[in-house]
Structures are given as C-alpha cells and as structure tokens.
Amino acid sequence: MTGSFLKKINFISALALICLLAMSCNNSSTEDGTKPQESNEGSGKLKLPSGFTAEHLYSPSEDSTGSWVAMVFDDKGRMIASDQYGALYRLEIPPIGFDSNTSKVKVEKLPFDISKAIGRDTVHKMQMGYAQGLVWAFNSLFVVVNHFSDSNFEKTSGLYRVQDTDGDDKFDKITLLKALVGEEEHGPHSIKLSPDGKSLYLTAGNHTKLPEGISNYRLPPVWQRDNILPDNFDLDPRTVPSAGWIAKVDSSGNNWEVVCAGLRNTFDFAFNETGDLFTYDSDMEWDIGMPWYRPTRICHVTSGGEFGWRDANGKWSPDYLDNLPPLLNIGQGSPTNVVSAMNARFPKEYSNTLLAFDWSFGIIYAIHLQPDGSSYKVKGEEFVSGAPLPLTDGVIGPDGALYFLTGGRRIESHLYRIYYGDGKSEVLSNVESVSHVTEENKLRRQLESFHGKPNAEAIKVAYPQLNNPDRFIRYAARIAIEHQPVSQWQEMVLNEKEPIALINGMVALARHGNKNLKNKMFSLLLQLDYDKLTQPQQIDLLRVIELVLARMGKPDAAQAKALIAYLGPRYPAATNNLNRGLSKILAFLDDPSVVEKTLSLLDEAKDDSTDQPTFSRASDLIMRNPQYGMDLAGVLAATPPAQQIYYAIVLSDIKVGWTPAFREKYFKWFHHSYDFKGGRLYVNYIDKAREAALAAVPKIEYKLYDTMSTNTPSVTEVIDWVRIMSDGGPGRRWKVEDALDTVENLSNRDFKQGKLMFTVAACVNCHAVQGQGGSIGPDLTQLGTRFSKKDILESIIDPNKTISDQYASTDFTMKDGKSVIGKLVKEDDGKYYISQNPFAPNELRELNKKDVTGRKYANISPMPPLLINQLNPERLRDLIAYLVSGGDENNPVFSNENKDVKK
C-alpha cells in the first residue's frame, strides 16, 4: 500500500475513534459510578465532580467592567479583581447558596482617596489596574502591573504596593517597588505570599528581564544555550537569557532573590502544605511535532532550579541532569492559574492537591501530590471543565470555596464559585495532616540553604551527595557546590573515582571552570566504563561531554580522535535518546562515519510511544469535547517523525562524509517531510534545515538537490467567484449586533459553503483550520472552544480591539520622525528585521538600530477589518458555523445532506 493510502486509513480510524469516544462521553461517570454534576450558568456548561456545586456569581462583561484575569481576597473578606486592560474592582459577595433574586454581588471600582489631589495629572496618578497578579499582605495590596505606558494608564510593568494609610477604607498611597521590563502575555504575572508569611514570590514569563539589583541568585546566572545541535533557526528577539523566572521579594521590594529560571511562560504557582513550590509551565505550541517540543507540565520548583527553556531547537531534554524534570506532562494548552487546595473546604482526598487551570481547553486539573524521596509523585485528574471556559485566575476564599474567573483578551468574563456539599460542613481538604516531610526532603532543603553566598560548611555537606540516588538531591548538592569558589572543589572533582559523583562534578566544572581544563576533563570522562553505566547514566555522561564542548569548545585533534574512538562504536545505540546525544556529539567532532550511520537511521527511526507521556492525551481531549477532536485526530494521522527530524537537523551542518548516494537519500527525505503536519513553525524548521544542508553542497550540484528536496503544495481548487458573490444577494456593512442576530441560529448549515467562505473572506490566507491554511495568524481549529460567537464576530469586524502580542506588529520611531510598522522577526547587534507584508512573511526589511529612536507595539492589527462585508446573511452563517465547529463537518450545526463525506 502507498503511504497516502495508509494515511487515509489511519484518518478514518481516527474518525471512528472520535465517534466512539464521543458516544462514551455522553454516558461518562465518576469513579464511584455517579454521574458528574453539571452547571449551565455563565459562559458554558460546567462538568463537576460528584458532590460539588457551581454558582455563577457575576459577569463583568455585562457591566462593562472588562475582562478579568486576576483576583484576591482582602483582610475583610472582600474580593479585589483586575481587568486585563483596565481598572481594579472590589466585590462584596453573598454567602454560599444565596438567592440571586434578593441578593446580588456588590461591585465598585476600587476606591482611591483623591480628595487632596490637585490637578488632572495628580488624579491620573491615583489609579491602578492592568494587573496580572494580586496579593493581600502586610496590610497592603501588592499589584503586578503588566502594561506598556500609554495615555490612558501611565503605569508601566512592575511591582506596586497600594496602601490605605488613614484607615478610611480608601487607598491613598501607591508605591512602585520595582519596575520590570516586560509586558503582555509573556511579561510579569502572578504574586503570592510565602508560606511563612514573611516575603512574597513573583513570577514572570520568558520576555521579562530580571530586574536590576538582584540580592541573590539561588541559580548561578551563568546560563547559556548549552546545546550543540545546529541552530540555523530564527530566535525570538524578545526572549531573555534567563527565560521565565520566579523570584522571592521582601515587603519593601528592596531585596530580590532569584529562585529559579529556565521556565517558558509560567503564569502562576502555588505552595503545598509542606511549603514546597509548584508551577504549571506552558508549552511552545508552534513546536508541536518537533523533537524538542515540550508539553505543558507541572514542575516542582526547588531552590536554584533550572528548567531548560531555550529558544527554537535549543530546548533541553528533561533527561539532561543539569535541569530538573517535570512531575507531570499535561499536554497541549495554555496554563494560567495554579492554586493549592489546602485551605479548601473539600473532601480529604483533595489534601496535598494543586488545581491547575488551562485557558485553551477550559479545564481545571486536580494534581494530587504524593511525597516521593525529596520530591513527589503525582496523579492528575480533570476536576472542572467547560466549553468554552477560558480560565484566568482562581483562589480559595475565606469560606473554603473555590472562586475562579474566565475571560482574558477582552472576551466575555465570568466569576464562579464552586463548593462541596452545603459549603458549610467541617469537611476540609487538610483535615488529615499530610505535612509530613520525608528525610530526603529535609536533606534537600539543607543543601538548598547553601544556595547563595559562600559558606565554609557547604562543600563538606554537599559534595558527598553528588552520587545520591535521588535526582533532586544530586541537583541541589551541585548547585550548592557551584556557589562556592571553584578553587575549593576543583581538585576534588578532578580526583573523583566514583562515576556518578564525577559526572555531576564535571557539570559544575564545565559551568564554572577554566577552559584550560578541557583536555583533562575529557581524559577523565573517557576513563569511565561506558558499558557498566545504566542508560540514564550514559545519557548523563553524553550530556556532560556536550556541556564541555559547548562551554569550552572543540578539543584538539588528538582529543577529538579519542572521543570518536570512545563514542563511535556505540553509535547507533538501542534507544532514541542515546542516539540523539551520540549523533550530535559525533557530528560536532566531524566524525567521518556519522553521515552513513545517521542516514541508516533516518528512514527507519520510530518515535517512542512512551517518551514523555502526557496526562491529556488526544483521546482524553476528544472525550471531553469531540468538537475539536478532529484536529487532534488529524495531527495523529500525519504526525511529523520527531526522531527522523532530529537526525535530519544533525546532518544539516555536516561537511564531511558525503557521497552522491548519501546526498540523494538525504534530500529525498526533505521532499517527503513536507507531507507531515505539525505546529505552525514545522515548515519553517524544515525549510531552515534544508537551506543549511543545501549550503554545504558543491555549487554545481545545488540546483539538483534543491529540485530534489522541494515539495510544492498542490494548486488549490478554482473558485467560481462570480457565482459566490451573486448567490443569495450582495453582502452588507456588518455591525456586531446585526451579525450576532444573524448567526444566532446555526442549525442546518452547509459545511462545503462554510469552508468555501473561509477562503472567500480571506481567512485562509493567514489562519489554518484542521491543518489547512496559512500560519501568519493563530490556528482557528479550537476557536469555538475558547470564544463565543460574539467574541468571534467582534474580532472579525474590529480586529484592532484586541491584539495579542504574539501577533502584534511593532511601531518603530525613526530619527527622521517617520514611523515604520512591521512584525519584528529577529534582531542582531546592529539591525531589526521586520516583515511588513502578511502574504509574503519571508520578505524582510532591515532597519538600522542607530536610526531607531523608539519602539512600541502597534495599535493596528495586521488583520484587515471588514473582511465579511462581502458576505450575505446565509454565507455569514455558513462561515461562522465553520469557525465555531473548528472545521468539523460532523458538528451538529451542519445538516447531513450538506456534509462532505470522506472516502
């Protein structure tokens, strides 16, 4: 059978699976056999565990108070919440079980005492909002502002303290404790009170610089890419070297201590009963299908933690010993809030449990923690879900109930409360003590006490733990050693005979030692008996060799020959992970045999089915909401071969060892690779690797291999524009209200026409549905699970109303007074490179930095407005049905006779 026929068979199988799972979903029950509870309040139907009740309390959108993304309770039991792009509000909430006909949530814009203000500017300064993090502590409200300064709100990103100094219940003092450079969706985010109540913790995304004046780095700030895989890919100019980070701050905002780094875009975090810190880190969804893709994940954030986020293909494997692994991979999604259930009036099975919020798929996961050595094992389950349910923030209230918000990006916002039983019984999640700290946990914390300034006791305590069987203890010990002067421990490492201690000590030495130690370090590592090491230990050894190469450079010819002689016979290995490490090291060393060996694996390599298992597997999400299951099924049917891609990128930078037959096999692989579907950067990665490979061939052969590896997409079907535009009458100048009335009923729509309207309205040029379309704008397959019809229409009719910074253009102010607007693609020391034509994104304009006097996000969306004005009501209904369904022709909005049945 041909490959394309097999793909069709797999796709049909996936469709059958969707139908079966969708039917089983309709009869789902909880583990005890009872049906899950459902709530029809607010923005969608909620699914709850048995015994829980949801109350819809308030809709900010209905009162034009914004789209709320942050919340906290003050010392009087009132809620304070923030609009993502506006003010703070204070709420008095009726007790659990209130009668909505007689009691209402009382909402007021947060009052500031401006009675003594003189002049408009002074009044203007007495405002606060744009918060993505709120905490009540030290008789004050601490606010993490995430914002560019503009005429409507002057305050820029930073940590602010807001106080009521005279006790009149109005805030009268705002203090900027620390300005932060970073904004929007990857800027500064959440803030929490420490378990001992003496300090604050704050997190920021990977576009946020660490502030000036850091008092202490628990993770030594020597971060580098530390990956020798060829990096011919465009890097995001906004990503900072530390990537996402978490810091500890005192109440004055003067002392900042970096707790960890190397996260992607952690929005929130929480402490459990024992005071350990956890977060729900985001993925890079554009990397789906690539070998370095890392799903959203729950991480135990220990002191000095490094989590390996690097741009493009530089991301570290969770197996690398110089970063910490996740406790649980969740899967695809957009993590927002994390809250500990320890103060919740929930059943005892929710003791030592985290609640992790996913904005994209509308799921609150319950992450149950079980102590395991110095860290934890986890079990995940779906706690609350809804579609759409764009979750933003949550908190356990004074009454022990869970309060949470939906909204963000100016979409409809709702406030809910979830409680167990009658909400008043003395059933507490921490009714039984689960605060037992294991001996391993105590040892790890002792080692972490040395993460900071030099300490005479550190080496004596930490060094013996470099070979501890507990990975988190080994890590904590190494970081403790790295904080001490190298002269105090260098010889200990160089004289070490125990393999595990030597490998971990070499990591520290690679990061802090002098480059003149390189040959001696290689000699010691090559003395280890590779075959007596376990597979994880072999991976550790390969990682250390890579670190020395990355940090200290290539060895001399004799040392390179010795390394090749040591590693060459062991490649290929029995596992994918070992082959990744071996292939890139041997390629880096110019091993002449690596081309032939790697090509022998290229077509045959299979991805590990158990590699980095995720909690939210495709089938789980299909069962939760079959509406977008088609997208997941489509990816499964044409998933890029990650291991083959890895080998292809390793080979792209090799200059020796090629024969005509080898090159032909290699470039024909590229031709085939374009048939797969992955994240929106998939084709870009393949293009860049192919370009690098072509640059290495003799000029006379360039055209041959360029043609051989090119795979031009088939020409799209011809559209009868005249018939479309005349059928059913002309279009009109659509307003949101009229359009919303028109699409209120979407039953019996025409799938073929809806798909066609997606092209007619030019959506397909920039957006993809079910893997078909452009990649300039966001993928719209899951649009209907995240947004209401009103949100969709508002975004189409007035795209400038909400512009995500992920797709925003940048407005450059030039020396000559002109303004240049374009999508910032990359930058170097001297130039900005921008894309100004959304239909030719690879055509870049160069701006000399010396000619640029300022830059800011443009307030004009790259998406043109009024694209649906050419559609009549019938065609508009078909388009919106297509968008709401996520391109699923089996969605109930389509009539059977109009469905395009797949063969």
Side-chain angles (χ1 to χ4, degrees):
M1 297 182 189
T2 64
S4 60
F5 181 78
L6 288 174
K7 286 181 184 178
K8 289 180 181 178
I9 294 297
N10 289 335
F11 192 71
I12 293 171
S13 299
L15 291 177
L17 176 63
I18 291 170
C19 296
L20 289 172
L21 292 177
M23 289 187 289
S24 67
C25 177
N26 292 331
N27 295 292
S28 61
S29 62
T30 57
E31 290 184 3
D32 62 2
T34 60
K35 290 291 184 72
Q37 301 296 308
E38 295 184 345
S39 169
N40 294 305
E41 305 277 6
S43 62
K45 181 180 290 187
L46 302 183
K47 291 186 178 181
L48 310 171
S50 178
F52 285 85
T53 300
E55 290 180 330
H56 178 258
L57 300 175
Y58 178 65
S59 295
S61 304
E62 294 179 4
D63 286 348
S64 299
T65 53
S67 188
W68 293 2
V69 297
M71 63 196 300
V72 71
F73 281 92
D74 67 12
D75 58 346
K76 294 181 174 63
R78 299 169 299 188
M79 180 182 290
I80 298 174
S82 179
D83 174 17
Q84 185 176 1
Y85 305 105
L88 301 182
Y89 297 89
R90 191 160 67 186
L91 294 75
E92 292 185 21
I93 301 175
I96 289 173
F98 74 103
D99 184 349
S100 60
N101 294 319
T102 59
S103 300
K104 298 289 184 182
V105 174
K106 296 179 181 179
V107 182
E108 63 174 337
K109 191 174 181 179
L110 195 67
F112 287 87
D113 186 356
I114 59 174
S115 60
K116 298 180 181 180
I118 301 175
R120 181 177 179 182
D121 290 342
T122 306
V123 174
H124 184 66
K125 291 178 181 179
M126 290 296 295
Q127 301 296 327
M128 180 52 59
Y130 287 76
Q132 293 194 8
L134 297 169
V135 69
W136 184 270
F138 311 110
N139 199 33
S140 305
L141 176 67
F142 289 83
V143 182
V144 179
V145 171
N146 185 321
H147 180 247
F148 265 137
S149 178
D150 59 32
S151 59
N152 296 318
F153 185 75
E154 67 161 13
K155 294 177 177 62
T156 56
S157 292
L159 174 60
Y160 294 79
R161 184 173 187 173
V162 184
Q163 297 169 281
D164 170 14
T165 62
D166 57 11
D168 66 352
D169 208 26
K170 294 182 179 179
F171 293 105
D172 51 37
K173 184 178 181 180
I174 299 176
T175 306
L176 173 61
L177 301 182
K178 181 72 73 171
L180 296 171
V181 179
E183 60 284 318
E184 296 295 341
E185 295 173 4
H186 293 250
H189 296 312
S190 187
I191 187 169
K192 295 282 178 71
L193 184 65
S194 65
D196 62 9
K198 297 179 180 180
S199 57
L200 304 168
Y201 281 70
L202 181 149
T203 187
N206 59 312
H207 296 166
T208 312
K209 294 182 179 179
L210 285 164
E212 299 291 334
I214 298 293
S215 307
N216 180 41
Y217 288 88
R218 295 192 191 176
L219 173 66
V222 294
W223 33 71
Q224 294 183 17
R225 187 174 185 271
D226 289 332
N227 195 326
I228 60 173
L229 194 65
D231 58 346
N232 302 306
F233 311 110
D234 295 332
L235 304 181
D236 191 329
R238 298 167 297 180
T239 297
V240 296
S242 61
W245 48 268
I246 295 176
K248 182 180 179 181
V249 189
D250 67 4
S251 61
S252 68
N254 292 323
N255 296 308
W256 285 65
E257 186 177 13
V258 175
V259 176
C260 73
L263 295 163
R264 200 254 169 162
N265 187 31
T266 285
F267 197 92
D268 199 7
F269 55 90
F271 297 93
N272 72 341
E273 285 86 337
T274 63
D276 280 326
L277 177 60
F278 303 86
T279 191
Y280 181 17
D281 199 17
S282 65
D283 63 345
M284 175 45 164
E285 65 276 13
W286 296 355
D287 285 350
I288 290 174
M290 305 307 293
W292 47 83
Y293 171 71
R294 307 192 314 180
T296 68
R297 55 196 199 151
I298 303 295
C299 296
H300 179 194
V301 179
T302 59
S303 172
E306 161 69 76
F307 292 91
W309 171 263
R310 299 296 186 268
D311 223 347
N313 69 331
K315 300 170 188 66
W316 298 1
S317 165
D319 291 332
Y320 291 171
L321 75 167
D322 47 330
N323 76 157
L324 291 172
L327 298 183
L328 177 69
N329 286 321
I330 295 291
Q332 291 178 250
S334 298
T336 49
N337 182 62
V338 183
V339 61
S340 171
M342 65 176 156
N343 294 319
R345 199 176 292 272
F346 287 0
K348 62 182 180 181
E349 54 262 35
Y350 290 94
S351 297
N352 218 13
T353 295
L354 307 173
L355 301 176
F357 289 35
D358 174 22
W359 184 86
S360 286
F361 296 128
I363 302 174
I364 300 177
Y365 295 101
I367 309 298
H368 304 289
L369 304 170
Q370 178 183 352
D372 180 41
S374 71
S375 185
Y376 297 83
K377 291 181 180 178
V378 300
K379 177 184 177 183
E381 66 174 347
E382 186 179 307
F383 179 62
V384 177
S385 64
L389 193 70
L391 297 152
T392 56
D393 200 11
V395 65
I396 304 299
D399 54 5
L402 170 65
Y403 292 78
F404 69 87
L405 292 167
T406 65
R409 296 186 180 176
R410 293 192 173 94
I411 64 177
E412 287 188 6
S413 190
H414 300 275
L415 171 64
Y416 292 88
R417 172 168 57 198
I418 290 178
Y419 58 91
Y420 181 75
D422 61 5
K424 301 174 183 178
S425 59
E426 295 299 320
V427 180
L428 300 176
S429 64
N430 58 353
V431 66
E432 293 183 1
S433 174
V434 292
S435 60
H436 172 68
V437 180
T438 65
E439 292 302 315
E440 295 93 339
N441 194 304
K442 292 176 183 177
L443 175 57
R444 173 177 56 77
R445 296 186 188 202
Q446 180 188 11
L447 294 167
E448 291 170 353
S449 69
F450 300 119
H451 293 178
K453 297 178 181 178
N455 186 304
E457 294 294 310
I459 296 176
K460 181 172 66 175
V461 175
Y463 192 88
Q465 303 304 327
L466 287 179
N467 65 348
N468 192 293
D470 187 304
R471 178 172 175 177
F472 280 77
I473 290 176
R474 293 197 303 273
Y475 182 92
R478 176 175 60 79
I479 296 298
I481 290 170
E482 288 189 21
H483 280 288
Q484 315 312 312
V486 177
S487 60
Q488 295 182 9
W489 51 269
Q490 174 177 300
E491 291 305 313
M492 297 175 69
V493 173
L494 294 176
N495 291 313
E496 181 61 59
K497 302 301 181 183
E498 201 284 322
I500 308 309
L502 175 63
I503 289 172
N504 282 274
M506 284 292 187
V507 172
L509 203 53
R511 286 162 51 86
H512 297 273
N514 191 293
K515 291 184 178 181
N516 61 19
L517 295 170
K518 175 174 56 179
N519 285 342
K520 187 170 186 179
M521 293 170 68
F522 280 134
S523 296
L524 290 171
L525 291 170
L526 295 186
Q527 291 177 18
L528 295 176
D529 191 333
Y530 184 96
D531 297 323
K532 288 186 178 180
L533 299 176
T534 65
Q535 182 184 320
Q537 292 166 356
Q538 291 172 347
I539 292 174
D540 288 348
L541 174 58
L542 294 177
R543 176 58 177 164
V544 175
I545 292 174
E546 179 182 17
L547 278 176
V548 179
L549 292 171
R551 294 263 176 167
M552 299 181 172
K554 287 188 176 183
D556 58 32
Q559 193 73 71
K561 184 177 180 181
L563 280 165
I564 292 172
Y566 181 75
L567 297 177
R570 296 178 166 94
Y571 177 62
T575 69
N576 282 341
N577 282 343
L578 284 173
N579 281 332
R580 290 185 184 188
L582 287 165
S583 63
K584 67 177 172 179
I585 291 173
L586 292 170
F588 189 83
L589 295 171
D590 296 320
D591 176 10
S593 69
V594 73
V595 169
E596 182 176 7
K597 290 180 178 180
T598 306
L599 280 173
S600 70
L601 298 172
L602 187 62
D603 290 333
E604 307 300 327
K606 304 296 182 183
D607 295 333
D608 296 324
S609 60
T610 58
D611 185 33
Q612 288 300 303
T614 61
F615 172 68
S616 295
R617 292 181 173 87
S619 59
D620 298 324
L621 295 177
I622 293 169
M623 286 170 55
R624 191 187 77 82
N625 193 332
Q627 179 170 312
Y628 56 79
M630 286 289 289
D631 180 46
L632 297 176
V635 171
L636 289 174
T639 302
Q643 188 71 10
Q644 293 181 29
I645 293 170
Y646 197 93
Y647 293 141
I649 290 172
V650 167
L651 290 167
S652 68
D653 206 39
I654 297 177
K655 307 295 190 298
V656 299
W658 292 100
T659 67
F662 289 166
R663 288 201 190 278
E664 180 176 351
K665 180 176 182 179
Y666 182 46
F667 285 106
K668 283 185 176 180
W669 179 90
F670 275 109
H671 181 93
H672 177 62
S673 70
Y674 287 99
D675 294 334
F676 296 100
K677 298 177 183 178
R680 62 176 294 166
L681 285 180
Y682 171 71
V683 173
N684 179 67
Y685 283 130
I686 297 300
D687 282 345
K688 293 294 184 179
R690 190 178 78 94
E691 290 170 9
L694 285 169
V697 305
K699 290 184 178 180
I700 194 172
E701 298 173 352
Y702 181 94
K703 185 175 181 180
L704 169 66
Y705 295 117
D706 181 33
T707 302
M708 186 182 297
S709 57
T710 299
N711 188 348
T712 305
S714 59
V715 179
T716 57
E717 62 181 305
V718 177
I719 298 175
D720 186 351
W721 294 97
V722 175
R723 181 190 64 78
I724 291 169
M725 300 310 297
S726 61
D727 185 16
R732 58 199 59 194
R733 191 167 298 183
W734 288 106
K735 302 293 184 184
V736 173
E737 295 77 12
D738 294 337
L740 190 59
D741 289 341
T742 300
V743 302
E744 180 179 1
N745 183 0
L746 290 180
S747 61
N748 296 315
R749 300 320 309 161
D750 189 320
F751 174 78
K752 291 181 180 179
Q753 289 296 332
K755 187 175 183 180
L756 195 56
M757 292 308 106
F758 188 67
T759 299
V760 171
C763 309
V764 71
N765 293 319
C766 298
H767 302 278
V769 169
Q770 299 287 347
Q772 298 180 6
S775 60
I776 299 168
D779 189 293
L780 302 183
T781 306
Q782 298 163 13
L783 191 68
T785 69
R786 302 178 184 180
F787 301 98
S788 67
K789 287 182 282 189
K790 180 180 179 182
D791 296 325
I792 296 170
L793 287 167
E794 285 180 340
S795 297
I796 295 173
I797 294 171
D798 184 11
N800 296 327
K801 183 177 180 180
T802 303
I803 307 172
S804 167
D805 67 305
Q806 296 297 295
Y807 306 100
S809 297
T810 300
D811 189 344
F812 296 87
T813 302
M814 312 301 290
K815 276 185 179 180
D816 59 7
K818 293 181 179 179
S819 178
V820 177
I821 297 177
K823 174 70 175 177
L824 179 60
V825 175
K826 60 181 178 179
E827 65 178 285
D828 53 33
D829 291 339
K831 294 180 179 180
Y832 296 111
Y833 300 85
I834 64 172
S835 174
Q836 293 181 292
N837 183 347
F839 302 114
N842 294 324
E843 294 180 4
L844 302 183
R845 176 178 174 181
E846 300 177 5
L847 300 180
N848 291 319
K849 286 188 172 181
K850 61 183 178 62
D851 296 330
V852 177
T853 59
R855 61 172 179 158
K856 62 181 181 180
Y857 285 132
N859 57 6
I860 300 175
S861 171
M863 174 178 166
L866 311 177
L867 289 175
I868 61 172
N869 280 7
Q870 56 190 312
L871 304 183
N872 60 52
E874 285 300 303
R875 295 298 172 248
L876 178 62
R877 292 187 188 100
D878 289 332
L879 172 63
I880 299 302
Y882 183 74
L883 293 174
V884 168
S885 73
D888 177 7
E889 64 181 353
N890 294 306
N891 191 281
V893 298
F894 300 117
S895 62
N896 290 327
E897 59 269 24
N898 290 324
K899 291 178 182 177
D900 185 13
V901 179
K902 288 181 172 60
K903 304 295 183 184

